[in-house]
C-alpha cells in the first residue's frame, strides 16, 4: 500500500509540475508576442512615413517636369503665332503688289490694243502700196511677179549647180591625191615593218663527216650502200676529194633533208648496209612528216591563226622545204600574211582574215593534186575542200588575177604577194625554172604504168626511174627507158643531154640527144 501511495503521489506531483510549467510558458510567450507586435507596429509606421515622403518627392518631380513641358509648348505656340502673323503681313504686301500690277497690265493691254489697231491700218496701207508697186513693175518688166520669181529661182539653181559641181570636182581631185598618198604611206610602212633578211636556198646540202673511214663505209662494197641510199631517197650523193664532207645534191629540199637525217643516224649507229638504209630512210621519212606537221602548227600559233584543218596545217609545214623562185615558200607566206594583216589594219578591214588568206595564198604549190591547175586555183580548191570562208578562198584564187576578186581582202593579198616577192634579193627566176623543169621530168616518167618512183639527179642530167618487178619485165624495162627518153626529147627543153636509167633487177640505159 505504501508503494502504491508513493507512486500515485509521484505521478500527481509530476502532473502538477507539468501544469505549472505550461502555465509559465504561456505567460512568457504572451509577453514576447506583445513585444513583437509592438515592434512591428513601430516598423510599419516608419515604412509608411518613408513611402509617403517618397511619394511627395515623386509628385514634386513630376510636377516640375510637367511645368517645364507646358512652358516649352507655350513658347513654341507663341513662336508659331509670330511666324503666322509675319506670313500674313507678307501675304498682304504681295496681294497689294499684285493688285497694282494687274492695274498696270490692264493699262498695257489697252495700249497694245490701240497700237495693234494702228499697225493693222498701216499694214493695210503697205499692202495697197505694195500691190501698186508690183503692178507698176509688171508693166515695166513685161512679166508677172510669179514669172520673175521662177526665172530668179532657175538662175540661182543653175549658179548653185555650177558651184557645187566645181566643189565636187575639187573634192574628188583632192581625195584622189590624198588616197594615192595614203596608199603609198601604207605600203611603205608595211614594207618597213616586215623587212626580213634575204633567204635564198640552193640545191646542195653539205653533210660533215669525221674521217675518210666513215666515207668508205658510206660508199660500201662496190658502191652498194651509196646506190641503196640514192635509190631510197632520190638524192645524188657526191663523194669526192672534199675533206670531211659529203655533198647531197637534189632539187627537192625534202628529199635532201631525208637523206641528211638518214646519213646522220646511220653514221651514229655504225651499221650501214642496204637493208638498214631502207629501214632508216623509212623511219626518217615518218619523223620528217611529224616535223612538217609540227612546223605548220608552230607557224599558225606564231601568227595567231586558229581553227585550221590539220591537212592545211601539214601543207603549211611542207612550205618550209619548198622554194618559189629561190625564195623559201614558208618565209614568203609568213611575210605575205604579216603584210596583209598590217594593210588590213590600216584600212579598217578584218585583220585575222587577211593574215589567214596571206598565209594560205601559195598553198597550191605544195599540193600533189591536180598538177595541171595553176597553183592559185589549186590553192582555192584546197581551201574550199577544207571549209575555209568564201572570202579567204577568193583571195587565194585571185591573187594572180586568174578569177574575179569578190572581197576587199583579195587585192590586199595580191599586193602583199607582190611586195614580198619584189624586194631586192627575194627571188631568182633561173632557180625556179630549173626546179620546174626537173619536177616536170619526174612527173613525165611517173605517168608510165609500172613506175613506182622517179628521181631527177645530177642537176637534171640523169633521170632514175624505179619500176615494180611484178609489173614490168626486163624486156619492158629496156624499152621503157627509150620511150621516156623520146618523150623528154619531144616535149621538154633542156641543156645538154639527159640520161634515163630504169632500175629493176637489171638496168637498161639509153640517152636522149
Amino acid at each position: 500500500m505504501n508503494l502504491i501511495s508513493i507512486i500515485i503521489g509521484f505521478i500527481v506531483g509530476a502532473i502538477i509540475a507539468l501544469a505549472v510549467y505550461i502555465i509559465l510558458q504561456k505567460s512568457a510567450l504572451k509577453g514576447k508576442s506583445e513585444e513583437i507586435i509592438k515592434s512591428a507596429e513601430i516598423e510599419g509606421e516608419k515604412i509608411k512615413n518613408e513611402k509617403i515622403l517618397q511619394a511627395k518627392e515623386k509628385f514634386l518631380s513630376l510636377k516640375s517636369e510637367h511645368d517645364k513641358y507646358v512652358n516649352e509648348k507655350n513658347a513654341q505656340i507663341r513662336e508659331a503665332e509670330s511666324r503666322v502673323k509675319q506670313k500674313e503681313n507678307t501675304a498682304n504686301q504681295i496681294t497689294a503688289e499684285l493688285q497694282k500690277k494687274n492695274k498696270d497690265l490692264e493699262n498695257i493691254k489697252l495700249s497694245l490694243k490701240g497700237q495693234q489697231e494702228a499697225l493693222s491700218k498701216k499694214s493695210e496701207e503697205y499692202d495697197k502700196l505694195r500691190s501698186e508697186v508690183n503692178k507698176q513693175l509688171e508693166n515695166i518688166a513685161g512679166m508677172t511677179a510669179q514669172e520673175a520669181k521662177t526665172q530668179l529661182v532657175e538662175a540661182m539653181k543653175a549658179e548653185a549647180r555650177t558651184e557645187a559641181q566645181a566643189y565636187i570636182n575639187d573634192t574628188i581631185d583632192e581625195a584622189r591625191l590624198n588616197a594615192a598618198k595614203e596608199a603609198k604611206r601604207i605600203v611603205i610602212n608595211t614594207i618597213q615593218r616586215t623587212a626580213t633578211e634575204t633567204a635564198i636556198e640552193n640545191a646542195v646540202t653539205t653533210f660533215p663527216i669525221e674521217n675518210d673511214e666513215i666515207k668508205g663505209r658510206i660508199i660500201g662494197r662496190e658502191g652498194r650502200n651509196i646506190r641503196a641510199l640514192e635509190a631510197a631517197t632520190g638524192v645524188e650523193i657526191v663523194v669526192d676529194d672534199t675533206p670531211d664532207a659529203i655533198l647531197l645534191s637534189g632539187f627537192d629540199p625534202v628529199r635532201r633533208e631525208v637523206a641528211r637525217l638518214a646519213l646522220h643516224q646511220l653514221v651514229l649507229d655504225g651499221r650501214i648496209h642496204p637493208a638498214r638504209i631502207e629501214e632508216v630512210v623509212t623511219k626518217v621519212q615518218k619523223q620528217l612528216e611529224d616535223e612538217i606537221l609540227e612546223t605548220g602548227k608552230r607557224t599558225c600559233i606564231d601568227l595567231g591563226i586558229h581553227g585550221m584543218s590539220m591537212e592545211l596545217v601539214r601543207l603549211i609545214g611542207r612550205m618550209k622545204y619548198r622554194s618559189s623562185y629561190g625564195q623559201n615558200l614558208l618565209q614568203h607566206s609568213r611575210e605575205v600574211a604579216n603584210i596583209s594583216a598590217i594593210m588590213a589594219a590600216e584600212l579598217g578591214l578584218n585583220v585575222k582574215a587577211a593574215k589567214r588568206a596571206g598565209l594560205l595564198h601559195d598553198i597550191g604549190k605544195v599540193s600533189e593534186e591536180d598538177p595541171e591547175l595553176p597553183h592559185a586555183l589549186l590553192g582555192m580548191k584546197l581551201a574550199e575542200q577544207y571549209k575555209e570562208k568564201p572570202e579567204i578562198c577568193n583571195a587565194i584564187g585571185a591573187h594572180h588575177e586568174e578569177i574575179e576578186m569578190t572581197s576587199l581582202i583579195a587585192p590586199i593579198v595580191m599586193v602583199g604577194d607582190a611586195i614580198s616577192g619584189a624586194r631586192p634579193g627575194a627571188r631568182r627566176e633561173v632557180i625556179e625554172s630549173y626546179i620546174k623543169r626537173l619536177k616536170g621530168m619526174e612527173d613525165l616518167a611517173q605517168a608510165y604504168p609500172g613506175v613506182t618512183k622517179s628521181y631527177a639527179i645530177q642537176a637534171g642530167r640523169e633521170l632514175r626511174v624505179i619500176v615494180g618487178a611484178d609489173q614490168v619485165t626486163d624486156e619492158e624495162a629496156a624499152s621503157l627507158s627509150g620511150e621516156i627518153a623520146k618523150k623528154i626529147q619531144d616535149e621538154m627543153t633542156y641543156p645538154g643531154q639527159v640520161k634515163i636509167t630504169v632500175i629493176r633487177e637489171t638496168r637498161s640505159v639509153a640517152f636522149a640527144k
Side-chain angles (χ1 to χ4, degrees):
M1 285 296 288
N2 290 332
L3 181 59
I4 295 171
S5 300
I6 291 170
I7 292 169
I8 293 170
F10 180 75
I11 293 168
V12 171
I15 292 170
I16 292 170
L18 181 62
V20 172
Y21 177 76
I22 291 170
I23 291 169
L24 290 174
Q25 286 293 327
K26 284 183 180 180
S27 176
L29 289 172
K30 184 177 180 182
K32 192 173 182 179
S33 63
E34 288 178 355
E35 288 178 3
I36 291 170
I37 290 169
K38 187 174 180 181
S39 175
E41 289 177 352
I42 294 170
E43 187 68 26
E45 188 67 24
K46 183 179 179 181
I47 292 171
K48 178 182 176 183
N49 292 333
E50 288 178 356
K51 294 296 181 181
I52 291 171
L53 182 61
Q54 289 177 359
K56 287 182 179 179
E57 290 177 354
K58 184 70 174 176
F59 174 75
L60 292 174
S61 175
L62 292 173
K63 186 174 182 301
S64 174
E65 291 178 359
H66 177 71
D67 292 342
K68 184 178 178 181
Y69 176 75
V70 170
N71 291 334
E72 288 177 356
K73 290 296 180 182
N74 290 336
Q76 291 176 359
I77 291 170
R78 287 193 295 272
E79 185 178 354
E81 290 177 350
S82 176
R83 286 198 300 270
V84 170
K85 288 181 180 179
Q86 185 176 1
K87 288 181 179 180
E88 287 179 354
N89 294 332
T90 303
N92 292 332
Q93 292 177 0
I94 292 171
T95 303
E97 291 177 358
L98 288 175
Q99 290 176 353
K100 183 179 179 182
K101 287 182 179 179
N102 285 334
K103 290 181 181 179
D104 294 340
L105 185 61
E106 290 294 333
N107 295 331
I108 291 170
K109 285 182 179 179
L110 293 174
S111 175
L112 288 174
K113 186 176 181 182
Q115 291 178 2
Q116 187 175 4
E117 292 176 354
L119 183 62
S120 177
K121 291 180 180 179
K122 289 182 179 180
S123 178
E124 292 176 357
E125 293 176 358
Y126 172 76
D127 290 339
K128 291 179 181 179
L129 290 173
R130 182 181 175 185
S131 177
E132 292 177 0
V133 169
N134 287 338
K135 289 180 180 179
Q136 291 178 3
L137 288 173
E138 289 175 0
N139 293 331
I140 294 171
M143 66 177 68
T144 63
Q146 186 62 35
E147 292 173 349
K149 184 188 292 185
T150 302
Q151 185 174 353
L152 179 62
V153 168
E154 290 298 327
M156 292 179 68
K157 282 183 180 180
E159 183 179 356
R161 192 178 295 110
T162 302
E163 292 180 357
Q165 188 62 42
Y167 178 75
I168 290 170
N169 292 336
D170 292 342
T171 303
I172 291 174
D173 293 339
E174 183 179 359
R176 286 175 179 169
L177 180 62
N178 291 336
K181 290 181 179 178
E182 185 66 14
K184 291 176 182 178
R185 183 189 68 80
I186 291 173
V187 171
I188 291 171
N189 288 342
T190 302
I191 294 172
Q192 288 175 343
R193 290 165 62 180
T194 58
T196 59
E197 296 181 357
T198 302
I200 296 182
E201 297 182 344
N202 54 35
V204 176
T205 299
T206 302
F207 179 75
I209 58 175
E210 295 180 358
N211 51 57
D212 290 340
E213 180 186 355
I214 296 176
K215 187 181 294 188
R217 294 170 60 190
I218 292 173
I219 295 172
R221 183 180 299 177
E222 298 178 357
R224 288 188 309 166
N225 293 344
I226 199 168
R227 286 197 301 272
L229 191 58
E230 287 179 344
T233 61
V235 173
E236 180 184 6
I237 300 175
V238 180
V239 182
D240 53 16
D241 296 334
T242 305
D244 300 332
I246 291 177
L247 299 181
L248 308 177
S249 177
F251 75 93
D252 191 335
V254 177
R255 296 178 192 168
R256 293 205 311 273
E257 184 68 9
V258 169
R260 187 188 69 81
L261 294 174
L263 266 177
H264 179 69
Q265 291 193 18
L266 289 168
V267 170
L268 288 179
D269 185 36
R271 294 177 295 163
I272 306 176
H273 53 82
R276 178 63 177 163
I277 288 171
E278 292 180 0
E279 178 186 346
V280 170
V281 168
T282 303
K283 183 179 178 181
V284 167
Q285 287 174 341
K286 178 65 171 61
Q287 291 175 350
L288 192 60
E289 284 296 322
D290 295 340
E291 183 181 344
I292 285 171
L293 185 59
E294 184 62 28
T295 300
K297 290 180 180 178
R298 188 164 56 250
T299 300
C300 292
I301 291 171
D302 291 344
L303 294 175
I305 296 173
H306 307 286
M308 188 175 290
S309 167
M310 279 295 106
E311 184 60 27
L312 289 180
V313 173
R314 188 182 68 82
L315 291 175
I316 290 171
R318 286 184 63 85
M319 290 182 182
K320 179 180 178 181
Y321 303 101
R322 176 74 160 83
S323 61
S324 177
Y325 297 98
Q327 183 182 25
N328 182 270
L329 190 59
L330 181 58
Q331 181 64 32
H332 167 64
S333 297
R334 289 174 68 110
E335 285 182 3
V336 175
N338 289 322
I339 291 169
S340 301
I342 294 170
M343 286 187 173
E346 292 283 350
L347 298 172
L349 301 177
N350 189 329
V351 175
K352 291 184 177 180
K355 185 178 289 186
R356 197 181 190 100
L359 180 62
L360 295 174
H361 80 286
D362 272 348
I363 202 73
K365 288 185 177 180
V366 292
S367 174
E368 298 175 355
E369 301 177 4
D370 296 333
E372 299 300 326
L373 275 178
H375 75 271
L377 300 182
L378 180 55
M380 181 181 69
K381 180 181 176 182
L382 288 171
E384 291 173 347
Q385 179 181 346
Y386 295 112
K387 311 301 181 184
E388 289 294 323
K389 294 182 179 179
E391 59 179 357
I392 305 292
C393 299
N394 178 256
I396 295 170
H399 78 274
H400 285 313
E401 297 184 294
E402 289 167 325
I403 62 171
E404 183 181 357
M405 297 182 182
T406 59
S407 68
L408 294 176
I409 296 176
I412 290 177
V413 172
M414 184 180 69
V415 172
D417 180 45
I419 291 173
S420 175
R423 61 179 175 77
R427 292 183 168 182
R428 291 190 308 196
E429 295 287 343
V430 176
I431 292 293
E432 181 64 17
S433 61
Y434 159 72
I435 292 174
K436 282 184 176 180
R437 177 169 60 83
L438 298 189
K439 181 64 176 173
M441 192 181 299
E442 288 185 350
D443 292 341
L444 184 146
Q446 194 75 34
Y448 281 87
V451 176
T452 58
K453 296 178 182 178
S454 61
Y455 299 125
I457 60 176
Q458 292 186 2
R461 292 190 298 272
E462 180 178 355
L463 178 64
R464 288 189 179 177
V465 182
I466 301 174
V467 298
D470 57 340
Q471 299 177 14
V472 179
T473 65
D474 288 341
E475 292 77 12
E476 291 172 341
S479 63
L480 181 60
S481 59
E483 293 178 11
I484 295 174
K486 188 175 185 306
K487 191 166 185 179
I488 290 175
Q489 186 174 343
D490 293 341
E491 297 183 4
M492 300 189 69
T493 302
Y494 51 90
Q497 64 182 13
V498 179
K499 177 182 178 181
I500 293 88
T501 303
V502 177
I503 301 174
R504 190 178 175 268
E505 294 297 332
T506 59
R507 299 184 182 182
S508 178
V509 179
F511 292 93
K513 298 181 180 179

